mmCIF file of all heavy atoms in Angstrom:
data_model
loop_
_atom_site.group_PDB
_atom_site.id
_atom_site.type_symbol
_atom_site.label_atom_id
_atom_site.label_comp_id
_atom_site.label_asym_id
_atom_site.label_seq_id
_atom_site.Cartn_x
_atom_site.Cartn_y
_atom_site.Cartn_z
ATOM 1 N N VAL A 50 -47.288 -15.559 3.332
ATOM 2 C CA VAL A 50 -46.900 -15.451 1.857
ATOM 3 C C VAL A 50 -47.054 -14.042 1.440
ATOM 4 O O VAL A 50 -47.949 -13.317 1.912
ATOM 5 C CB VAL A 50 -47.744 -16.369 0.935
ATOM 6 C CG1 VAL A 50 -47.375 -16.271 -0.481
ATOM 7 C CG2 VAL A 50 -47.613 -17.896 1.429
ATOM 8 N N CYS A 51 -46.122 -13.552 0.570
ATOM 9 C CA CYS A 51 -46.226 -12.231 0.036
ATOM 10 C C CYS A 51 -47.009 -12.323 -1.256
ATOM 11 O O CYS A 51 -46.831 -13.168 -2.110
ATOM 12 C CB CYS A 51 -44.761 -11.667 -0.304
ATOM 13 S SG CYS A 51 -43.697 -11.634 1.198
ATOM 14 N N TYR A 52 -47.885 -11.330 -1.395
ATOM 15 C CA TYR A 52 -48.813 -11.288 -2.574
ATOM 16 C C TYR A 52 -48.409 -10.087 -3.377
ATOM 17 O O TYR A 52 -48.944 -8.946 -3.305
ATOM 18 C CB TYR A 52 -50.214 -11.113 -2.001
ATOM 19 C CG TYR A 52 -51.349 -10.942 -3.107
ATOM 20 C CD1 TYR A 52 -51.147 -11.317 -4.442
ATOM 21 C CD2 TYR A 52 -52.605 -10.444 -2.752
ATOM 22 C CE1 TYR A 52 -52.138 -11.125 -5.391
ATOM 23 C CE2 TYR A 52 -53.602 -10.246 -3.616
ATOM 24 C CZ TYR A 52 -53.398 -10.627 -4.979
ATOM 25 O OH TYR A 52 -54.455 -10.473 -5.902
ATOM 26 N N GLY A 53 -47.294 -10.284 -4.219
ATOM 27 C CA GLY A 53 -46.900 -9.181 -5.106
ATOM 28 C C GLY A 53 -47.821 -9.242 -6.376
ATOM 29 O O GLY A 53 -48.298 -10.293 -6.826
ATOM 30 N N ARG A 54 -47.992 -8.067 -6.980
ATOM 31 C CA ARG A 54 -48.992 -7.992 -8.137
ATOM 32 C C ARG A 54 -48.368 -7.243 -9.323
ATOM 33 O O ARG A 54 -49.044 -6.596 -10.048
ATOM 34 C CB ARG A 54 -50.290 -7.295 -7.657
ATOM 35 C CG ARG A 54 -50.902 -7.960 -6.453
ATOM 36 C CD ARG A 54 -52.332 -7.464 -6.253
ATOM 37 N NE ARG A 54 -52.464 -6.007 -6.255
ATOM 38 C CZ ARG A 54 -52.257 -5.256 -5.171
ATOM 39 N NH1 ARG A 54 -51.692 -5.696 -4.122
ATOM 40 N NH2 ARG A 54 -52.385 -3.969 -5.341
ATOM 41 N N LEU A 77 -50.784 -13.082 5.137
ATOM 42 C CA LEU A 77 -50.534 -12.446 3.852
ATOM 43 C C LEU A 77 -49.937 -11.082 3.888
ATOM 44 O O LEU A 77 -50.411 -10.280 4.688
ATOM 45 C CB LEU A 77 -51.831 -12.450 2.980
ATOM 46 C CG LEU A 77 -51.662 -12.132 1.528
ATOM 47 C CD1 LEU A 77 -50.954 -13.208 0.731
ATOM 48 C CD2 LEU A 77 -53.002 -11.741 0.845
ATOM 49 N N ARG A 78 -48.877 -10.864 3.178
ATOM 50 C CA ARG A 78 -48.355 -9.560 3.030
ATOM 51 C C ARG A 78 -48.680 -8.957 1.684
ATOM 52 O O ARG A 78 -48.433 -9.612 0.670
ATOM 53 C CB ARG A 78 -46.856 -9.533 3.204
ATOM 54 C CG ARG A 78 -46.168 -8.194 3.079
ATOM 55 C CD ARG A 78 -44.647 -8.194 3.009
ATOM 56 N NE ARG A 78 -44.127 -6.900 2.740
ATOM 57 C CZ ARG A 78 -42.841 -6.601 2.433
ATOM 58 N NH1 ARG A 78 -41.984 -7.563 2.364
ATOM 59 N NH2 ARG A 78 -42.428 -5.353 2.216
ATOM 60 N N ILE A 79 -49.236 -7.733 1.662
ATOM 61 C CA ILE A 79 -49.397 -6.998 0.366
ATOM 62 C C ILE A 79 -48.632 -5.694 0.583
ATOM 63 O O ILE A 79 -48.200 -5.270 1.571
ATOM 64 C CB ILE A 79 -50.985 -6.732 0.102
ATOM 65 C CG1 ILE A 79 -51.608 -5.857 1.196
ATOM 66 C CG2 ILE A 79 -51.713 -8.040 -0.088
ATOM 67 C CD1 ILE A 79 -53.030 -5.487 0.939
ATOM 68 N N TYR A 80 -48.362 -5.051 -0.674
ATOM 69 C CA TYR A 80 -47.428 -3.968 -0.683
ATOM 70 C C TYR A 80 -48.145 -2.616 -0.776
ATOM 71 O O TYR A 80 -47.410 -1.566 -0.913
ATOM 72 C CB TYR A 80 -46.456 -4.195 -1.858
ATOM 73 C CG TYR A 80 -45.592 -5.381 -1.606
ATOM 74 C CD1 TYR A 80 -46.052 -6.736 -1.933
ATOM 75 C CD2 TYR A 80 -44.319 -5.351 -1.107
ATOM 76 C CE1 TYR A 80 -45.301 -7.840 -1.703
ATOM 77 C CE2 TYR A 80 -43.539 -6.424 -0.857
ATOM 78 C CZ TYR A 80 -43.998 -7.677 -1.189
ATOM 79 O OH TYR A 80 -43.238 -8.794 -1.001
ATOM 80 N N ASP A 81 -49.408 -2.581 -0.677
ATOM 81 C CA ASP A 81 -50.146 -1.380 -0.643
ATOM 82 C C ASP A 81 -51.463 -1.597 0.143
ATOM 83 O O ASP A 81 -51.557 -2.480 0.884
ATOM 84 C CB ASP A 81 -50.452 -0.851 -2.095
ATOM 85 C CG ASP A 81 -51.033 -1.892 -2.941
ATOM 86 O OD1 ASP A 81 -51.686 -2.866 -2.365
ATOM 87 O OD2 ASP A 81 -50.936 -1.886 -4.224
ATOM 88 N N SER A 82 -52.465 -0.709 -0.031
ATOM 89 C CA SER A 82 -53.723 -0.846 0.539
ATOM 90 C C SER A 82 -54.855 -0.914 -0.479
ATOM 91 O O SER A 82 -55.807 -0.265 -0.354
ATOM 92 C CB SER A 82 -54.028 0.264 1.585
ATOM 93 O OG SER A 82 -53.757 1.562 0.946
ATOM 94 N N ASN A 83 -54.559 -1.731 -1.521
ATOM 95 C CA ASN A 83 -55.545 -1.745 -2.660
ATOM 96 C C ASN A 83 -56.984 -2.143 -2.243
ATOM 97 O O ASN A 83 -57.094 -3.180 -1.419
ATOM 98 C CB ASN A 83 -55.022 -2.836 -3.619
ATOM 99 C CG ASN A 83 -55.915 -3.041 -4.887
ATOM 100 O OD1 ASN A 83 -56.929 -3.769 -4.807
ATOM 101 N ND2 ASN A 83 -55.673 -2.354 -5.879
ATOM 102 N N VAL A 86 -58.340 -5.707 -3.085
ATOM 103 C CA VAL A 86 -57.728 -6.782 -2.285
ATOM 104 C C VAL A 86 -58.344 -6.766 -0.843
ATOM 105 O O VAL A 86 -58.649 -7.809 -0.320
ATOM 106 C CB VAL A 86 -56.185 -6.555 -2.300
ATOM 107 C CG1 VAL A 86 -55.578 -7.536 -1.283
ATOM 108 C CG2 VAL A 86 -55.561 -6.716 -3.620
ATOM 109 N N MET A 87 -58.443 -5.599 -0.358
ATOM 110 C CA MET A 87 -59.060 -5.452 1.006
ATOM 111 C C MET A 87 -60.416 -6.007 1.089
ATOM 112 O O MET A 87 -60.751 -6.757 1.989
ATOM 113 C CB MET A 87 -59.110 -4.002 1.459
ATOM 114 C CG MET A 87 -57.713 -3.304 1.518
ATOM 115 S SD MET A 87 -56.706 -3.696 2.926
ATOM 116 C CE MET A 87 -57.285 -2.474 4.044
ATOM 117 N N PHE A 90 -60.581 -9.928 0.961
ATOM 118 C CA PHE A 90 -60.107 -10.648 2.163
ATOM 119 C C PHE A 90 -60.869 -10.394 3.398
ATOM 120 O O PHE A 90 -60.598 -10.859 4.522
ATOM 121 C CB PHE A 90 -58.631 -10.408 2.458
ATOM 122 C CG PHE A 90 -57.727 -11.250 1.541
ATOM 123 C CD1 PHE A 90 -57.324 -10.718 0.317
ATOM 124 C CD2 PHE A 90 -57.405 -12.521 1.755
ATOM 125 C CE1 PHE A 90 -56.525 -11.445 -0.481
ATOM 126 C CE2 PHE A 90 -56.618 -13.303 0.957
ATOM 127 C CZ PHE A 90 -56.173 -12.734 -0.190
ATOM 128 N N LEU A 97 -53.640 -9.710 7.533
ATOM 129 C CA LEU A 97 -52.983 -9.005 6.488
ATOM 130 C C LEU A 97 -51.890 -8.060 7.024
ATOM 131 O O LEU A 97 -52.088 -7.413 7.989
ATOM 132 C CB LEU A 97 -53.967 -8.113 5.663
ATOM 133 C CG LEU A 97 -54.304 -8.685 4.270
ATOM 134 C CD1 LEU A 97 -54.995 -10.049 4.339
ATOM 135 C CD2 LEU A 97 -55.229 -7.680 3.524
ATOM 136 N N MET A 98 -50.808 -8.043 6.361
ATOM 137 C CA MET A 98 -49.719 -7.047 6.546
ATOM 138 C C MET A 98 -49.766 -6.192 5.331
ATOM 139 O O MET A 98 -49.604 -6.604 4.172
ATOM 140 C CB MET A 98 -48.313 -7.610 6.617
ATOM 141 C CG MET A 98 -47.151 -6.725 6.760
ATOM 142 S SD MET A 98 -45.583 -7.455 6.615
ATOM 143 C CE MET A 98 -45.596 -8.493 8.022
ATOM 144 N N ILE A 99 -50.105 -4.869 5.551
ATOM 145 C CA ILE A 99 -50.329 -3.977 4.364
ATOM 146 C C ILE A 99 -49.224 -2.961 4.329
ATOM 147 O O ILE A 99 -48.495 -2.707 5.355
ATOM 148 C CB ILE A 99 -51.694 -3.293 4.378
ATOM 149 C CG1 ILE A 99 -51.717 -2.282 5.550
ATOM 150 C CG2 ILE A 99 -52.783 -4.299 4.512
ATOM 151 C CD1 ILE A 99 -53.037 -1.428 5.448
ATOM 152 N N GLY A 100 -48.979 -2.450 3.151
ATOM 153 C CA GLY A 100 -47.731 -1.586 2.945
ATOM 154 C C GLY A 100 -48.112 -0.146 2.529
ATOM 155 O O GLY A 100 -49.106 0.103 1.911
ATOM 156 N N VAL A 101 -47.228 0.788 3.019
ATOM 157 C CA VAL A 101 -47.216 2.043 2.486
ATOM 158 C C VAL A 101 -46.060 2.206 1.481
ATOM 159 O O VAL A 101 -44.849 2.090 1.894
ATOM 160 C CB VAL A 101 -47.037 3.154 3.539
ATOM 161 C CG1 VAL A 101 -46.889 4.529 2.993
ATOM 162 C CG2 VAL A 101 -48.190 3.030 4.542
ATOM 163 N N THR A 137 -46.542 -1.771 7.073
ATOM 164 C CA THR A 137 -45.085 -1.469 6.845
ATOM 165 C C THR A 137 -45.014 -0.142 6.053
ATOM 166 O O THR A 137 -45.658 -0.017 5.046
ATOM 167 C CB THR A 137 -44.543 -2.617 5.986
ATOM 168 O OG1 THR A 137 -45.236 -2.742 4.763
ATOM 169 C CG2 THR A 137 -44.644 -3.909 6.702
#
Side-chain angles (χ1 to χ4, degrees):
V50 180
C51 300
Y52 177 21
R54 305 194 310 280
L77 187 70
R78 178 190 176 191
I79 60 176
Y80 294 83
D81 53 22
S82 52
N83 180 276
V86 174
M87 301 282 273
F90 282 93
L97 257 62
M98 176 189 297
I99 69 173
V101 175
T137 61

